[in-house]
Amino acid sequence: VTSRVMMWEAEANEAFRSWKIEGEDVSFRYQDDWYPLKPGSRYCFTVEYETSDGYVAPRSEKACFEMGLGHSKEAWGQSSWIGSDDLKVLRTEFDISPMLLQRASSARLYVSGSWGQYYVNGERVSVNESLGVGWTRYDKKCYYATYSILPLLNSSRNALGVALGQGWRDLANFPPKFEAGDLGFVLNPNATEILPGRTEMKGLLSKSPTWTARVVRMIVKVRTDDDGVWHTVAQTTGKDNKKMKEQKNDTVWQGTPGPVTLDSIFNGETYDAPEAEKISGCFSPHYSPTNASLWAAVPNIGGEAWARRAVMVAQPIPPIRQQETVAPLSIRLVGMSEDGKNGHFVIDFEKNRAGVCRVLLPKGERGSNITIRHAEATMHAPYGYFGENGQFLYYDNLRSARATDSYIFSGASDEAGQFWQPAFTYHGFRHIEIFHWPCGNPTANGVDGDDDDDDNNVFGLPTYALRCKNFPRIQMVHFRTDMDQHGDIRSSNPVVNSFWEMALGSLSSNLMSIPTDCPQRDERLGWMGDAGSSADISALAFDVAAFHNAFLELIEDDMSTNGSIPDVVPFYRYGNKPADPSWSSAFIFIIYSRYHISGDIRPYEKHCGGVELYLENMYRQYERRGGFEGMEKSGIAWGTYGEWVPADVHQRPSATYISAFNWILTLQQAAEMAQAAGDIDRSILYRTNASYVSREFLDVFYDESSSTFGRGGQTELSLALRLNLLDSNETMRVGTTLAKRLEDDGGGWTVGMFGFKYILQSLVKTKNAGAAFDLLMNMADPSLGYMLTNDVEPATTNLWELWDGIHQGGSMDSRNHHMYSTIATFLFELAGVVGNQQPGLGYSQRTPLRLLVGGVSRNISSVCSKTKTKRGPFEFCWEIEGGAGGGAGMGTESQQRFFTTSFSRTTFKATLSAGIYSNVTVPIVGSLGNLLTRNGVYVMIEENGKEIFQGSLTRQTVEISHKPVTGLHRLAYDLQSNSLMFLISSGKFNFQVLQAAVNRDE
């Protein structure tokens, strides 16, 4: 394929550059030295391509992009950071001359800070966004967002308004653990370690007031069409700043505490509507406060140490946006106040999601409130019983997080019927408990309008207490970083489909500008172990390119000069540095997922220096500990966490074994990427180191006589097979050992997060696909199937952190952890997208992508899988009907003469992007394979409804002569696999294969 790209500055409307790109990989990276792109400018481009057979495609429609404001001090001019933890609502007014606005072609609001909502002339400019700009190391970089606001501006007087929350800048809950001495922080000497590597530091001390939580930095610019100049018309300037020079107006910022009296990620939000009344209209121009004493000048905080050091960076990831609203599955009235005015409700949304509730407000008395508490589970044994001692929901697994939102009524006549949705918090929940809900006038009958008082009288309450006229009208609002979901799997097996939804849901609830561990308890951090484990499935399911690229930047921001990386990125609240090796390995795993899944080597090229520094640090740690042998002899493990939360703690490998595995795997992956990038010296270094430590790994952990690694547990055997350290015969023997281990374990899971990721692939790899499928379909406790089908807390859009989570209580039993979402990676293999292939589905004719109709499954008759890579969309769907005795009534009338009682119909569809070749295997189904050895099998093949081959196959058949089909390069029969082989490339295909035993009478 040959592509041509033409690019031009939008205002110039003529091409300043064109490129010609040849070869299989038609993407390219823009280089600044080609033509420097100017901050704030808009550029457009078109693409056309020509194939090797002479086809020239029409030129594409133009696509455009706009450059950001830039990060230089000049770009941000005289603007400064402003803020105060006591002032949560900020405003200013400014003038724009009518002549300037008439000449304007565009206007932009550039804004950074803590969580915020932004207003221009009373209109919110970020309506569909939740929370604020993404989380960073604020002393390294601060993201800023850009909004188009020209239609909102007035000639003459304008108003800017900001409502601020603490978000991730809340020091009480997110104290920095990075080297923060020069930022004025001193850790509490009385801090206590509450879990390994998790030091409780809420008592953070400070040398000086150097950190304000609620902050904002903002510029408003207008671009004039005739000269292409950007004019600054407003910006944040604190009370110590001089007036702006670019416009003759005084953007004095005033602030007030506002109606949000509490905002905390962990604890929730309280909204005081009477306080909102006091500042009504404050975001509109010409505002005159009824009580000027409520307002104060907003301080300039640009002198704080983090603000002096931070670089302004255009937010490289999509904002957090609403993805779904969920209606309640059930609303239960469980109690009422003594006067019968207020109800107590428990609501089940069926789905466990991250977000908040949106409430249609009822009529409430001034000063009264409704309170919502969020939880993942109802009370059940062993915690207690639903309704026992007035407890209905289980809160212990939230730890210190209160997860409580409250609304205080103003009693205004227009308040009822309005929506309220908390702005500066989020929760992970399936259930909520609502207190003090105004019932209105109690009805004369039951809540459902009949006289059956027993409908809700399950707690022995008096009958009058179960009557409430107004039930809550409420929705769950789920939000996350707004990435397209481009991956999907649908099959004829409902359990497989449920596993996909569980994995996808757990990922979706933990995409909050970084990959968090969980959305519900007092944590919600960028734990590297979780992020690394789920990197592959994240790339298969979502368009994570920008998301992962940004997270890699954050990892390097937290990397020390000696190459050490923390357990948590950004490095706040919990974790150690250097990290557990199995956690820090996420740095390599995420880069590799971008290469292996999406075919993009650019992340390695960008971070190759950091990769080398990190791997050097790992090697020094290894040497200081005397190698694997020294670690095992000393009994001092290399790593803190190891095989995290295994189903059977008695089979838990040593942390050293897990660290050794992950380190070797990172060396192998780094070597592969360096080779692909042409970074030959580093590739040789990494391969040499991988070979050296792999030999010691085998010496220390492998018993050749018994084909066993370590103590012979499921995890140890599965991980060793993933490393590919043995020859084919030994690999199969270790696979047999793994299958026997699984049998001895009763066919159930004993693994933790690392063994779980690789055990199914390792079984398939060693020709134990049946055992893998049986393990996948296991419904006994503990298993994924048990999470799905238990009658206490059946999972829907979530995965438990603990295999026996519903039987444990206390500090660590999240119901929505994504580390087990790796199951969905195996589901692609189950669907026939065979694993361990070359990167990005970007194959040549010599090394085609392997697709297997029928997959590695049993009891699955159809699957459709899709994803997207750097090259474009990929889809593979198949369906198998019939088999021995299955031919009756199938096929068209013209086809019936070929059928006997042994018949099958197989269809498969494939979408392959430009330059991708695939070898699709279609097996001779069931007993027809045996018939082939005697009489042969009659086959009819159609593509898109048109017959391309009809005839008999015998054991001597190899090449199959067929009618021409664009993109079909070869059709053959493979005796060894007893399958038809289709070599196809670059296009959309729809094949149908009819198979029948040969009729002797024909």
Side-chain angles (χ1 to χ4, degrees):
V1 178
T2 300
S3 295
R4 297 179 188 85
V5 180
M6 286 189 293
M7 191 172 185
W8 65 93
E9 190 170 354
E11 284 74 14
N13 203 32
E14 61 182 33
F16 61 76
R17 187 80 188 185
S18 63
W19 300 267
K20 183 177 180 181
I21 309 158
E22 296 181 339
E24 293 182 352
D25 189 352
V26 296
S27 64
F28 75 99
R29 187 187 334 182
Y30 188 85
Q31 304 290 339
D32 274 347
D33 57 358
W34 291 348
Y35 187 95
L37 303 180
K38 296 178 291 187
S41 293
R42 190 166 180 262
Y43 299 91
C44 301
F45 64 92
T46 60
V47 179
E48 62 183 28
Y49 70 89
E50 179 180 349
T51 63
S52 57
D53 57 6
Y55 172 74
V56 178
R59 180 176 295 182
S60 70
E61 295 183 6
K62 73 175 181 179
C64 300
F65 64 92
E66 184 175 309
M67 296 295 291
L69 183 60
H71 56 261
S72 67
K73 291 183 179 180
E74 293 76 16
W76 286 83
Q78 298 179 40
S79 71
S80 63
W81 286 101
I82 64 172
S84 165
D85 288 338
D86 298 323
L87 304 176
K88 306 171 188 176
V89 173
L90 315 182
R91 72 174 309 276
T92 193
E93 296 190 17
F94 62 97
D95 291 324
I96 301 179
S97 70
M99 183 175 296
L100 178 62
L101 195 60
Q102 186 176 4
R103 294 167 55 208
S105 59
S106 57
R108 298 290 182 263
L109 169 65
Y110 302 98
V111 61
S112 179
S114 54
W115 286 2
Q117 295 180 338
Y118 317 110
Y119 297 81
V120 175
N121 293 326
E123 297 288 335
R124 187 176 164 194
V125 299
S126 51
V127 175
N128 192 33
E129 295 182 13
S130 301
L131 309 183
V133 292
W135 198 2
T136 62
R137 270 278 303 266
Y138 296 114
D139 63 316
K140 293 289 186 75
K141 63 166 64 85
C142 292
Y143 292 155
Y144 68 87
T146 304
Y147 301 100
S148 178
I149 60 168
L150 183 61
L152 302 179
L153 294 177
N154 299 324
S155 58
S156 68
R157 204 64 172 165
N158 292 268
L160 282 177
V162 186
L164 293 175
Q166 299 181 95
W168 293 295
R169 293 181 60 90
D170 176 5
L171 281 185
N173 291 309
F174 298 99
K177 290 201 68 177
F178 46 83
E179 299 86 347
D182 56 344
L183 298 182
F185 297 115
V186 178
L187 301 187
N188 187 344
N190 299 316
T192 57
E193 190 166 283
I194 59 172
L195 285 173
R198 302 183 181 191
T199 304
E200 181 58 71
M201 295 186 302
K202 288 187 179 178
L204 188 79
L205 303 180
S206 179
K207 291 178 180 176
S208 57
T210 61
W211 186 283
T212 303
R214 296 178 179 87
V215 300
V216 66
R217 191 177 187 184
M218 181 186 295
I219 292 184
V220 177
K221 287 180 175 283
V222 172
R223 183 183 177 103
T224 45
D225 205 15
D226 49 7
D227 56 9
V229 174
W230 283 99
H231 304 266
T232 299
V233 296
Q235 59 191 350
T236 48
T237 53
K239 64 182 180 182
D240 297 325
N241 279 51
K242 297 179 179 179
K243 294 181 181 180
M244 293 167 45
K245 297 178 180 178
E246 296 182 66
Q247 292 287 314
K248 293 181 178 180
N249 53 14
D250 189 354
T251 51
V252 174
W253 283 83
Q254 298 285 314
T256 188
V260 177
T261 59
L262 167 72
D263 68 281
S264 163
I265 293 178
F266 297 155
N267 297 324
E269 179 178 316
T270 298
Y271 186 89
D272 191 334
E275 291 298 314
E277 284 185 328
K278 297 177 182 178
I279 59 171
S280 176
C282 69
F283 293 146
S284 298
H286 307 290
Y287 171 70
S288 179
T290 56
N291 185 351
S293 65
L294 294 176
W295 294 86
V298 185
N300 178 343
I301 59 164
E304 293 186 357
W306 66 269
R308 294 195 308 268
R309 295 170 56 177
V311 174
M312 306 301 294
V313 176
Q315 177 157 284
I317 57 176
I320 294 171
R321 289 195 177 108
Q322 175 184 318
Q323 304 296 316
E324 178 184 19
T325 57
V326 182
L329 175 67
S330 67
I331 303 177
R332 303 180 71 176
L333 175 64
V334 296
M336 292 186 68
S337 60
E338 290 185 3
D339 60 9
K341 290 184 177 180
N342 299 317
H344 177 189
F345 291 87
V346 172
I347 295 178
D348 179 5
F349 290 100
E350 186 178 22
K351 297 180 179 181
N352 188 328
R353 293 289 205 200
V356 293
C357 287
R358 179 183 296 153
V359 182
L360 184 66
L361 293 171
K363 184 174 179 57
E365 297 179 2
R366 186 177 182 86
S368 65
N369 73 83
I370 54 173
T371 297
I372 304 173
R373 293 200 70 186
H374 304 75
E376 294 189 292
T378 58
M379 289 295 290
H380 59 74
Y383 318 129
Y385 298 95
F386 188 78
E388 182 181 17
N389 299 321
Q391 277 194 282
F392 299 94
L393 300 186
Y394 172 60
Y395 298 110
D396 285 356
N397 72 328
L398 306 183
R399 299 199 296 228
S400 67
R402 293 181 60 242
T404 302
D405 298 330
S406 295
Y407 181 91
I408 301 173
F409 287 95
S410 69
S413 59
D414 61 347
E415 186 173 34
Q418 295 184 18
F419 285 100
W420 168 62
Q421 178 177 321
F424 303 118
T425 188
Y426 77 92
H427 315 285
F429 65 103
R430 169 175 172 163
H431 305 272
I432 61 170
E433 198 167 1
I434 304 183
F435 302 88
H436 321 305
W437 182 267
C439 279
N441 296 322
T443 62
N445 299 315
V447 295
D448 56 1
D450 61 28
D451 294 320
D452 184 1
D453 291 331
D454 295 327
D455 284 353
N456 293 282
N457 198 4
V458 294
F459 310 115
L461 298 174
T463 300
Y464 72 83
L466 295 171
R467 298 186 178 121
C468 187
K469 181 179 180 181
N470 300 321
F471 267 41
R473 299 177 67 180
I474 192 167
Q475 295 174 317
M476 170 196 285
V477 178
H478 166 52
F479 47 71
R480 61 163 168 81
T481 300
D482 189 27
M483 296 173 286
D484 289 341
Q485 180 195 331
H486 59 216
D488 194 29
I489 289 181
R490 289 290 179 268
S491 80
S492 58
N493 188 311
V495 173
V496 169
N497 297 340
S498 294
F499 287 164
W500 171 260
E501 292 299 328
M502 290 159 66
L504 196 72
S506 66
L507 282 171
S508 185
S509 288
N510 285 287
L511 299 172
M512 292 294 181
S513 94
I514 63 167
T516 60
D517 59 325
C518 61
Q520 76 294 108
R521 66 182 178 225
D522 57 354
E523 205 157 342
R524 314 183 206 187
L525 302 171
W527 280 100
M528 294 278 279
D530 303 270
S533 290
S534 63
D536 285 355
I537 184 53
S538 296
L540 285 166
F542 295 101
D543 183 7
V544 294
F547 185 79
H548 273 167
N549 288 346
F551 191 60
L552 291 170
E553 293 281 345
L554 296 181
I555 294 173
E556 288 226 39
D557 285 346
D558 268 320
M559 181 185 289
S560 299
T561 55
N562 67 359
S564 67
I565 293 173
D567 290 312
V568 171
V569 172
F571 196 22
Y572 295 89
R573 190 169 174 84
Y574 289 150
N576 297 313
K577 188 178 185 180
D580 182 309
S582 299
W583 266 239
S584 60
S585 59
F587 182 44
I588 308 298
F589 293 157
I590 293 172
I591 297 173
Y592 188 74
S593 75
R594 297 282 298 112
Y595 169 64
H596 186 70
I597 302 298
S598 301
D600 193 350
I601 195 60
R602 292 173 295 182
Y604 170 80
E605 293 173 338
K606 183 170 186 177
H607 296 281
C608 59
V611 168
E612 181 177 18
L613 197 62
Y614 165 69
L615 292 175
E616 286 175 351
N617 180 276
M618 291 291 293
Y619 201 90
R620 288 194 298 271
Q621 291 186 44
Y622 163 80
E623 286 188 318
R624 282 199 305 268
R625 288 167 171 78
F628 304 140
E629 184 176 9
M631 298 175 207
E632 290 292 286
K633 286 182 177 179
S634 70
I636 301 175
W638 190 22
T640 306
Y641 315 116
E643 175 68 317
W644 194 240
V645 292
D648 183 354
V649 296
H650 302 293
Q651 283 198 37
R652 187 177 192 172
S654 69
T656 298
Y657 187 94
I658 301 299
S659 296
F661 161 77
N662 282 296
W663 183 36
I664 294 171
L665 187 57
T666 59
L667 284 168
Q668 292 176 345
Q669 292 180 350
E672 182 184 341
M673 291 187 291
Q675 180 74 30
D679 193 0
I680 304 304
D681 289 343
R682 285 192 176 111
S683 179
I684 293 172
L685 173 64
Y686 301 151
R687 289 189 191 280
T688 301
N689 289 346
S691 177
Y692 176 79
V693 296
S694 294
R695 286 195 297 271
E696 194 196 3
F697 182 84
L698 292 172
D699 290 342
V700 173
F701 297 113
Y702 182 49
D703 182 352
E704 186 175 0
S705 64
S706 60
S707 299
T708 297
F709 282 83
R711 290 174 289 181
Q714 292 181 16
T715 291
E716 290 156 307
L717 295 166
S718 300
L719 300 190
L721 287 168
R722 172 62 185 87
L723 292 176
N724 300 314
L725 302 180
L726 305 172
D727 63 32
S728 59
N729 292 329
E730 272 299 291
T731 295
M732 297 306 293
R733 284 195 286 269
V734 174
T736 300
T737 304
L738 175 59
K740 180 63 167 57
R741 174 76 264 179
L742 184 59
E743 182 181 348
D744 292 344
D745 292 332
W749 304 86
T750 66
V751 296
M753 66 183 293
F754 294 106
F756 181 83
K757 182 173 182 178
Y758 297 110
I759 185 171
L760 297 176
Q761 288 91 334
S762 293
L763 286 167
V764 171
K765 173 183 178 179
T766 53
K767 302 191 183 305
N768 292 294
F773 190 75
D774 289 343
L775 182 59
L776 178 68
M777 292 291 112
N778 190 322
M779 300 292 150
D781 184 11
S783 69
L784 287 182
Y786 183 75
M787 292 186 199
L788 172 68
T789 61
N790 75 89
D791 58 4
V792 179
E793 282 187 47
T796 54
T797 55
N798 56 296
L799 290 163
W800 301 348
E801 178 181 21
L802 303 181
W803 289 99
D804 55 350
I806 63 172
H807 306 305
Q808 292 199 23
S811 65
M812 201 192 70
D813 54 342
S814 160
R815 305 308 203 269
N816 205 353
H817 246 65
H818 64 97
M819 61 188 181
Y820 292 137
S821 65
T822 54
I823 187 62
T825 308
F826 176 73
L827 297 183
F828 275 89
E829 188 162 344
L830 188 73
V833 185
V834 181
N836 296 322
Q837 304 190 63
Q838 291 186 4
L841 308 182
Y843 302 86
S844 67
Q845 190 165 354
R846 292 175 299 147
T847 54
L849 167 67
R850 293 171 56 208
L851 299 176
L852 176 61
V853 172
V856 295
S857 67
R858 296 179 298 174
N859 302 320
I860 295 181
S861 59
S862 65
V863 179
C864 196
S865 61
K866 66 178 182 179
T867 187
K868 192 175 183 180
T869 74
K870 186 180 71 170
R871 290 173 176 265
F874 165 84
E875 186 172 12
F876 180 51
C877 307
W878 53 262
E879 181 178 13
I880 299 176
E881 302 174 82
M890 298 184 67
T892 64
E893 183 176 349
S894 63
Q895 296 165 349
Q896 288 292 327
R897 68 189 186 92
F898 301 114
F899 300 164
T900 66
T901 56
S902 294
F903 165 82
S904 79
R905 173 166 52 201
T906 300
T907 58
F908 77 87
K909 299 178 182 179
T911 298
L912 304 177
S913 297
I916 293 182
Y917 286 79
S918 175
N919 206 359
V920 184
T921 300
V922 178
I924 302 298
V925 177
S927 62
L928 292 174
N930 297 326
L931 291 171
L932 184 63
T933 64
R934 300 196 300 271
N935 304 327
V937 170
Y938 202 92
V939 172
M940 178 185 293
I941 302 174
E942 298 176 347
E943 201 284 320
N944 206 23
K946 297 181 179 179
E947 178 189 312
I948 64 168
F949 172 77
Q950 184 181 133
S952 296
L953 300 182
T954 68
R955 293 176 61 86
Q956 287 72 44
T957 304
V958 179
E959 298 294 329
I960 298 176
S961 179
H962 60 86
K963 295 178 182 178
V965 174
T966 302
L968 174 61
H969 304 278
R970 183 176 182 239
L971 180 58
Y973 169 70
D974 179 67
L975 178 62
Q976 184 176 0
S977 63
N978 195 24
S979 304
L980 296 171
M981 312 297 288
F982 294 72
L983 179 61
I984 56 178
S985 71
S986 305
K988 292 186 176 182
F989 304 90
N990 184 359
F991 286 98
Q992 177 174 254
V993 180
L994 303 172
Q995 306 173 22
V998 170
N999 189 334
R1000 291 175 180 270
D1001 297 331
E1002 286 293 324

